Amino acid sequence: ASVKAGEKVTVPFELTPANATTTVTVASSATSYATAAIKGKTVEITGVAEGSATITLTAGEGITDTIAVTVTA
């Protein structure tokens, strides 16, 4: 994903099965470049400063996925 500093981008995600009630958490590898928050069934990524970060989503028992983020000026 790509986002400009000071702007936001929304990335949808899907749980399987569709009726799963697992809590999803999100973390950024570099909050000085990008932060992330769960908004329903999407991840809202906010660009903080030019650079890159990896956003990691975790659901249930060790199920993870990552989103590489590049923040531009």
Side-chain angles (χ1 to χ4, degrees):
S2 180
V3 63
K4 289 184 178 184
E7 295 185 2
K8 297 179 181 184
V9 64
T10 302
V11 179
F13 66 86
E14 190 175 302
L15 292 175
T16 304
N19 65 349
T21 58
T22 302
T23 299
V24 178
T25 59
V26 66
S28 173
S29 66
T31 56
S32 56
Y33 299 124
T35 60
I38 299 292
K39 302 284 184 178
K41 297 250 176 163
T42 65
V43 179
E44 184 179 79
I45 301 168
T46 303
V48 176
E50 191 171 1
S52 60
T54 300
I55 305 300
T56 302
L57 288 86
T58 303
E61 302 287 322
I63 299 169
T64 62
D65 199 1
T66 59
I67 303 168
V69 177
T70 301
V71 180
T72 57

